[in-house]
Amino acid sequence: MFRPNSDWLLRRHPMSTERYNAREAEPRWQKVWDERGIFRTRNDDPRPKYYVLEMFPYPSGRIHIGHGRNYVMGDVVARFKRMKGFNVLHPMGWDAFGLPAENAAIERNTHPGVWTYENIATMREQLKLLGLSLDWSREIATCDPDYYGEQQRIFLEFLKNGFVYRKESEVNWDPVDNTVLANEQVIDGRGWRSGALVERRKLNQWFFRITALAQELLDGLDTLERWPDKVRLMQRNWIGRSEGLHVRFALANPPADAPAGSPADIKVYTTRPDTLFGASFLALSPGHPMAEQLAGGNPALAAFVEECRRGGTSTAEIETQEKMGFDTGLTVRHPLGGPDLPVYVANFVLMEYGTGAIFGCPAHDQRDLDFARKYGLTVTPVVLPPGADPASFAVADVAYDGEGTLYHSHFLDGLTIPEAKEAVAARLEDQRLGNEPVGERAVNFRLRDWGISRQRYWGCPIPVIHCAACGPVPVPEDQLPVRLPDDVTFDAPGNPLDRHPSWKHVACPQCGQPATRETDTMDTFVDSSWYFARFASEPGTRPLQKAAADHWLPVDQYIGGIEHAILHLLYSRFFTRTLKKIGRVSVEEPFAGLFTQGMIVHETYKDAAGKWLFPEEVERDAEGRPVKVGTGEPVTIGAPEKMSKSKKNVVPPEIVADTYGVDCARWFMLSDTPPERDSEWTSAGIEGAWRFVQRIWRLVGDVVALAGPAAPAEPGTFGEDALALRRASHKLAAQMADDIERLRFNVAVARVHAFANVFGDAVVAARRGGTVGDDLAFALHEAARFLVRAVAPSVPHLAEECWTVLGGDGLVAEAEWPASEPSLLAEDTVTLPIQINGKRRADITVPKAASPAEVESAVLALDAVVKALDGRPPKRIIVVPQRIVNVVA
RNA sequence: GCGGGCGUGGCGAAACUGGUAGACGCACGGCACUCAAAAUGCCGCUCCCAAAAGGAAUGUCGGUUCGAUUCCGACCGCCCGCACCA
C-alpha cells in the first residue's frame, strides 16, 4: 500500500509529479509561433534594429546535432534581443551552388538542382525541429535565378568600374577526365577520381581586383573591435603587407641567342636592402619569364623547371623539400659595385610573390644559407650582432636575422639596419639603368587577386559573351539573368555548359555576329559574399536594395566556424567595400560583431573488423564493456572527433527530439563548455539537461501549488525569506543578461543552476513553514516568472509551457526581459575575507558603507587576528574596499 | 620553419581590472523514500596529516607584489593557422 511519510510530502506535490512532455509540447508551441508569425521581421518596425546571423549552410543532405550548435547560439541571442526590445532580423538561407551537387549528379544520375532542392527540403525541416526563431519568409537559395541574376548585375557593375579583369592563370588539369580540379581534388599530385598525374594548364580566367583594396582591408581590421583578435591577426597575416625595395640588376653577359627586346636586367623585391653587400647570388622562380625563356634553349634547365612544378604544395612536403637550384650561367652586375653575382633558378622562389626573383644573402636568411651551403656559394656576414667581435663573427648553419650594425659594407658600415635600408634606398633611387632608377621603394602584399572562374556547371554563370570581333562583351541588362540550362548531362567529362548543344551560342550584343557565352561559372565564395545584404530586402523585392541594406547592415552578431576566418570573411569585406564604392550600399564593413564557435565532437566506435559504427549500434554489456548491439562483439572506442558522416559518430536531431526534446539538446549545447571551444556530446550530458528541464517544470508546479495559479499583488513589505529570494531573482536577470550579451552561455547556464538551488530551498522552506504569506507568495511567483523568462531564449518551448501555467500574458517569446530593481541588486552589507600574511584566516561582515578605518578596527578585534599578532602591532594592514583585508604580521 | 593560443580536481569548467582557487554541472560514494527499482531529495567528493587545528596545491622553475590561476622571464607539454612571403 502506498504510504507517503511526511518528508516525502514536504518535497513532492501531486502537481509536480507530472513530467514535462516535450514531445507533445514542442511541436504545439512551434505551431503557435508559426501561426502568429511572431518571427516575421518588418523593415518599417520603429524599434531599434538588431541583425543576428549564423553562417548559412551548404545543403549537403542531412544535418546532425553537431551542426546545430551555432544556430542555437544565434537563436539565444535573437530571442534575448527580442525580449530586450529590439526589432530582430534572424534569417536563414542556403549556400546552394557547389561541386558536391555535380558529384552527386554523376553518381546518382540526378540533376544537381533536384538533388540540392531535395536536400534543402530535408534540412529545412530538421532546422525547424530545433525551434529556431527564424524569419523563414526571407529564406533564400543562392542557386535561385533571382539571387544569382542580381549577382550577375553586381559582377557587371564591378567590371564597368574596373574591379574585374581577365588574365591567364594556371589551373590543375586532369588529362583523363578532361576537367579542371580544385586544389582539394588533387591528392599527391593526382586527380582524386581518375588517379591521373595532374598537369598545370594556363587558362584565361576572371579575377576580382581585391589587391586594390589591400591597404583598406588591412586598415579596416582596426575598426572591428568585436571580432576575435585571432581572426584579425590571421587576416592581417594573409594580407601580408611589407615595405621594401625593387632593385634592378643589369645582366653582365646577356645570352647571345636572346631575342630582340629581351630585358637587359632582372628586377628583384627585397625587404632587406641593407644586406645588399652580403649578396652572393640571384634566384629566379621556375615560373619566371626569363627562366622559361632560358629553358626553351636548354633541355637540362627545362627538365629542372618541370621537376620543380611537380613538387608538392602542401606545407609538409615543402618543409621536407630540399632547396634545389640550377645555375643558368648568367651573371649580373652588383648595383653598388660589388662582385658580379651568378643567376640560379631555384625551387623555393615563388612567382606569385614580389617579382618572382630574389637576391640571396646567405648570412642573414636561412633559406639563402641552406642554398648557398649546398652550392658552395660565399657567405659574407654584413650585420654584426651587438657585442660580437667583427674579427671572429661567422655564420655556420644558422643565419643571423637579428639586430646589429652594418660592416663589410662600404658606405653602410656602422649604420643600424633601418639606417642602412634608408641609405641603400636613397642611393639606388638616384642611380639609373637605362632610363629608369635602379631602386624603387615598394609596398608589397602577399594578398593576390581573387580568381573566380570555375569550369563547372553548378554555379552562377559569368554574364559575358565572347565575340571574335568585339572581344568580351557584357550581357545587356535586359537579358539578365543568364540562366543555367536545365537540360544538361553529366555522363561525359568536362563542363556540361561547354558541350551543351545550343546554350552558349548567341549573337554578339554589339555587332550581332555569332558569338559564344562564357561557360565558366563563379566561385561559390562570390555567392556568400553578399547574401547577408540580400536578407535585408523584404521577400519578393529586388535582392539588393540600398535602403533595406543600409537599415540592417552591418550584421550586429555573426556566428560561424573558425574555418572561415580568412577567405569567406575577407571576400565579404571586399565585396561590401566595393559595393559601397559603386553606390549600392553605405556601409564598409559587413559584420560588426563576429563569434567563432567550437565544434561538437563525439566518441568514435569500431567493431572487431575495424568498421565504423553509429553510436546507437553500441551498448554496454554486463561488465560495462562496449559491445555491438545484437551480436555482442567487442567494440573499440576512439577519441572524440568532429562529428562526420564518414566516421558515423553523428547524432541525428530527430532522435534527440524524440527522446528528450530539443530544449534538452539546446540546453546541453549551451552548458559546461565555453562556446568557442569544442564540446563533447555525451549521453550523460543530454540526460543531465533532461533532468534540469524537468526540475524547472517541477519548481514552477510547486510555486503554483504553494502560492496559487495567479500572481498576487505586490505587498508593501517583505519578510527576510521573501526578500532574499527576490534579491536572487533580480540578480539572476541582471547577470544573465550580461552573460548572454557576452555570449558566455556556459556561465549563464551555471548561474541558472545556482539560482534553481536557491529557489528550490525557498520552496522547501515555504512548504515546511505551512502557510505562505502574501510576501512570500509574491516572491515565489516572481522567482518563477523571472526564471522562466531568463531561460526562455535557451529552452523556448519549456518556457512557453511554464509561462502558461504561471498565468503569464501572451507568449513568453514576445515577453519582455525581466527588469531588475536596482534596490534589490544593491547589497547593504559585504563579507570580506581576512588574510593574515596572505593566507585567509577569517571573514567579517560589515556595512557596505563602512570606512577603511572602521573595517581596520573591526579586523584588529577578531580572535584570529589577535592570536596571530600576539600583542605585537601589525606591520601593515591593506584594506581593499568591498574586496579583502590583508594583515601583515 | 613562421605566426598564434592553451595547460586549474576523476571529467567539462568557474574565478570581473592582481584580491576567499575549484562556483555550477557530470561521474562516483553514502543516506532517505520504495517490497524492489526508477525517479526525487539530503550529505560527501583536490591532496597530505587528521578528532581538530594545520600544511601543500592552478604544467615546471624563478621573479615582481601585502597578496599571483591572473603580470614578467626561462623551460616542458598540447593544440590551431600558414601561401619557403625575399
Side-chain angles (χ1 to χ4, degrees):
Chain A
M1 182 188 159
F2 182 68
R3 192 167 42 80
N5 78 357
S6 57
D7 253 17
W8 188 90
L9 268 178
L10 279 177
R11 286 190 299 272
R12 312 288 293 165
H13 185 277
M15 175 81 204
S16 62
T17 56
E18 293 281 333
R19 270 190 192 164
Y20 169 62
N21 185 348
R23 208 185 321 180
E24 182 274 325
E26 287 177 350
R28 179 157 46 78
W29 286 113
Q30 285 174 15
K31 197 160 160 246
V32 171
W33 296 331
D34 195 36
E35 283 169 358
R36 301 205 194 167
I38 60 172
F39 303 132
R40 267 300 155 82
T41 305
R42 297 173 54 113
N43 286 5
D44 58 4
D45 190 306
R47 292 172 299 173
K49 72 100 184 175
Y50 193 89
Y51 187 176
V52 56
L53 182 68
E54 301 96 48
M55 289 180 185
F56 69 163
Y58 179 78
S60 58
R62 307 185 62 81
I63 65 165
H64 53 68
I65 206 78
H67 294 115
R69 198 176 182 205
N70 67 331
Y71 305 123
V72 168
M73 289 196 254
D75 197 47
V76 172
V77 174
R79 287 176 180 270
F80 171 74
K81 286 290 180 181
R82 252 181 231 115
M83 293 178 82
K84 278 289 202 178
F86 288 88
N87 181 35
V88 171
L89 177 59
H90 186 212
M92 180 57 68
W94 309 97
D95 190 12
F97 274 137
L99 208 43
E102 288 191 51
N103 293 332
I106 294 167
E107 277 157 28
R108 299 157 202 232
N109 197 27
T110 56
H111 188 275
V114 171
W115 182 84
T116 301
Y117 278 106
E118 278 173 6
N119 289 349
I120 287 174
T122 306
M123 288 173 66
R124 186 192 298 118
E125 289 316 301
Q126 290 186 298
L127 285 181
K128 285 189 172 175
L129 195 63
L130 294 176
L132 304 172
S133 63
L134 291 163
D135 181 355
W136 282 104
S137 75
R138 298 191 186 223
E139 177 185 358
I140 56 157
T142 55
C143 61
D144 182 338
D146 193 44
Y147 184 85
Y148 70 70
E150 186 71 19
Q151 188 162 304
Q152 291 170 343
R153 280 187 200 98
I154 295 170
F155 175 93
L156 293 177
E157 288 170 47
F158 280 12
L159 181 63
K160 203 166 100 193
N161 288 278
F163 290 106
V164 181
Y165 67 97
R166 211 156 170 253
K167 73 169 180 189
E168 268 211 331
S169 176
E170 283 190 342
V171 294
N172 301 308
W173 181 258
D174 184 323
V176 170
D177 277 354
N178 280 322
T179 187
V180 174
L181 300 177
N183 279 331
E184 66 264 26
Q185 294 175 318
V186 181
I187 297 157
D188 294 330
R190 292 174 180 274
W192 65 323
R193 210 191 292 275
S194 70
L197 272 178
V198 170
E199 296 169 5
R200 308 287 283 175
R201 186 175 280 204
K202 282 195 170 173
L203 293 180
N204 256 316
Q205 310 208 59
W206 293 95
F207 284 80
F208 281 149
R209 209 181 291 280
I210 190 171
T211 53
L213 272 66
Q215 189 66 50
E216 244 187 77
L217 289 166
L218 183 64
D219 294 342
L221 290 172
D222 293 333
T223 68
L224 301 173
E225 283 160 20
R226 292 198 296 119
W227 279 41
D229 288 342
K230 181 184 172 143
V231 173
R232 288 195 284 178
L233 183 72
M234 284 165 83
Q235 295 218 346
R236 199 165 281 134
N237 290 341
W238 190 261
I239 293 167
R241 184 182 196 275
S242 70
E243 290 180 13
L245 198 66
H246 281 141
V247 181
R248 293 190 303 134
F249 287 77
L251 288 172
N253 58 343
D257 57 347
S262 298
D265 57 68
I266 296 171
K267 186 153 119 183
V268 308
Y269 174 71
T270 178
T271 55
R272 293 297 301 272
D274 54 305
T275 63
L276 202 45
F277 285 107
S280 57
F281 64 96
L282 250 62
L284 305 174
S285 165
H288 194 279
M290 188 173 286
E292 289 183 340
Q293 184 206 318
L294 290 168
N298 184 337
L301 178 56
F304 177 78
V305 167
E306 192 48 41
E307 195 185 339
C308 289
R309 286 208 172 153
R310 273 204 301 276
T313 50
S314 81
T315 315
E317 280 170 314
I318 282 160
E319 267 172 24
T320 51
Q321 199 172 313
E322 215 181 326
K323 305 273 177 290
M324 289 192 302
F326 189 96
D327 189 348
T328 61
L330 294 179
T331 54
V332 291
R333 303 263 187 243
H334 192 288
L336 295 174
D340 287 358
L341 304 171
V343 178
Y344 284 77
V345 175
N347 65 344
F348 66 95
V349 181
L350 304 176
M351 190 55 219
E352 295 79 8
Y353 187 77
T355 60
I358 62 157
F359 79 77
C361 174
H364 304 293
D365 183 293
Q366 193 59 47
R367 292 159 304 175
D368 297 347
L369 183 61
D370 294 344
F371 189 80
R373 290 291 179 225
K374 180 160 180 181
Y375 294 100
L377 299 162
T378 50
V379 178
T380 310
V382 290
V383 176
L384 187 65
D389 174 13
S392 62
F393 179 71
V395 167
D397 293 324
V398 180
Y400 180 73
D401 59 4
E403 292 180 9
T405 49
L406 274 289
Y407 73 138
H408 297 159
S409 295
H410 307 269
F411 69 99
L412 302 176
D413 285 354
L415 299 183
T416 65
I417 292 172
E419 288 165 351
K421 283 181 178 174
E422 176 57 34
V424 171
R427 175 80 61 110
L428 293 184
E429 272 174 335
D430 287 344
Q431 249 169 258
R432 299 264 141 188
L433 186 60
N435 281 326
E436 291 174 55
V438 170
E440 278 180 291
R441 290 173 214 256
V443 171
N444 200 47
F445 294 92
R446 301 180 354 169
L447 186 67
R448 298 178 204 155
D449 277 334
W450 173 16
I452 60 151
S453 295
R454 297 291 182 270
Q455 295 71 33
R456 308 271 165 217
Y457 165 75
W458 194 232
C460 172
I462 292 172
V464 168
I465 291 165
H466 296 285
C467 169
C470 310
V473 180
V475 172
E477 173 80 23
D478 61 1
Q479 290 172 30
L480 294 179
V482 176
R483 285 171 177 267
L484 289 170
D486 286 328
D487 51 336
V488 286
T489 55
F490 291 88
D491 47 6
N495 182 353
L497 290 180
D498 203 29
R499 63 168 184 268
H500 188 277
S502 58
W503 182 80
K504 73 175 173 182
H505 300 290
V506 288
C508 171
Q510 264 174 33
C511 68
Q513 290 301 301
T516 56
R517 290 190 187 281
E518 170 73 60
T519 58
D520 285 353
T521 52
M522 292 185 210
D523 179 7
T524 56
F525 272 120
V526 181
D527 311 339
S528 55
S529 290
W530 66 283
Y531 78 106
F532 42 85
R534 196 277 168 259
F535 284 133
S537 302
E538 305 234 25
T541 61
R542 188 167 169 192
L544 182 58
Q545 286 181 313
K546 189 158 195 276
D550 288 352
H551 175 65
W552 285 108
L553 292 177
V555 176
D556 295 280
Q557 186 63 62
Y558 196 37
I559 304 178
I562 187 74
E563 66 273 19
H564 293 114
I566 297 173
L567 295 183
H568 162 58
L569 291 169
L570 191 65
Y571 292 155
S572 297
R573 295 182 59 219
F574 161 73
F575 237 75
T576 305
R577 281 171 182 272
T578 312
L579 286 171
K580 184 185 179 207
K581 288 180 198 303
I582 64 171
R584 294 295 302 269
V585 300
S586 298
V587 292
E588 295 202 309
E589 289 289 345
F591 313 119
L594 172 70
F595 185 79
T596 55
Q597 93 284 350
M599 293 179 303
I600 291 190
V601 299
H602 194 282
E603 284 179 335
T604 52
Y605 308 100
K606 273 185 181 176
D607 66 11
K611 270 177 54 186
W612 301 106
L613 297 174
F614 287 108
E616 58 268 26
E617 295 178 284
V618 180
E619 62 182 356
R620 300 275 170 171
D621 70 6
E623 277 87 54
R625 288 177 305 221
V627 294
K628 189 167 171 181
V629 175
T631 69
E633 66 175 295
V635 167
T636 317
I637 298 184
E641 291 184 58
K642 178 185 180 175
M643 282 192 182
S644 75
K645 266 190 271 185
S646 62
K647 290 182 178 164
K648 295 195 174 177
N649 60 340
V650 289
V651 176
E654 294 86 347
I655 289 187
V656 182
D658 277 355
T659 357
Y660 300 99
V662 299
D663 279 343
C664 289
R666 293 172 60 115
W667 190 253
F668 176 41
M669 284 192 263
L670 299 167
S671 302
D672 291 338
T673 306
E676 69 278 8
R677 276 189 222 171
D678 288 352
S679 163
E680 186 178 357
W681 187 272
T682 60
S683 54
I686 186 76
E687 279 161 21
W690 189 81
R691 280 198 295 272
F692 192 69
V693 162
Q694 297 298 337
R695 188 170 179 208
I696 292 178
W697 177 244
R698 276 197 312 276
L699 278 171
V700 167
D702 288 345
V703 165
V704 171
L706 279 166
E714 180 167 352
T717 55
F718 289 92
E720 212 171 284
D721 293 352
L723 200 56
L725 182 56
R726 292 200 71 200
R727 286 187 193 283
S729 304
H730 285 248
K731 220 179 215 171
L732 173 77
Q735 293 181 326
M736 249 192 113
D738 186 52
D739 292 335
I740 295 175
E741 295 273 9
R742 294 161 67 189
L743 308 176
R744 291 159 51 87
F745 305 115
N746 59 320
V747 181
V749 165
R751 230 183 270 290
V752 173
H753 276 286
F755 176 75
N757 290 340
V758 170
F759 191 10
D761 289 348
V763 165
V764 170
R767 209 180 277 140
R768 203 166 260 144
T771 55
V772 172
D774 285 352
D775 64 332
L776 190 55
F778 178 87
L780 287 168
H781 252 280
E782 184 185 59
R785 285 171 166 242
F786 268 54
L787 174 63
V788 165
R789 279 176 293 170
V791 299
S794 311
V795 283
H797 312 83
L798 172 73
E800 295 290 1
E801 199 74 5
C802 291
W803 194 243
T804 306
V805 171
L806 289 168
D809 287 335
L811 294 169
V812 76
E814 294 183 297
E816 278 177 31
W817 187 260
S820 301
E821 286 179 27
S823 65
L824 289 170
L825 296 178
E827 304 280 353
D828 39 19
T829 62
V830 60
T831 299
L832 300 175
I834 309 303
Q835 293 184 333
I836 297 169
N837 294 332
K839 300 273 182 210
R840 184 180 167 278
R841 287 291 184 257
D843 52 43
I844 187 174
T845 302
V846 296
K848 203 165 183 187
S851 72
E854 288 168 332
V855 173
E856 194 174 316
S857 57
V859 165
L860 288 173
L862 288 171
D863 283 352
V865 175
V866 170
K867 212 172 122 194
L869 290 175
D870 197 22
R872 297 181 301 272
K875 284 197 189 120
R876 198 175 161 188
I877 300 182
I878 294 112
V879 179
V880 183
Q882 323 283 321
R883 284 270 184 212
I884 201 167
V885 178
N886 192 7
V887 179
V888 186

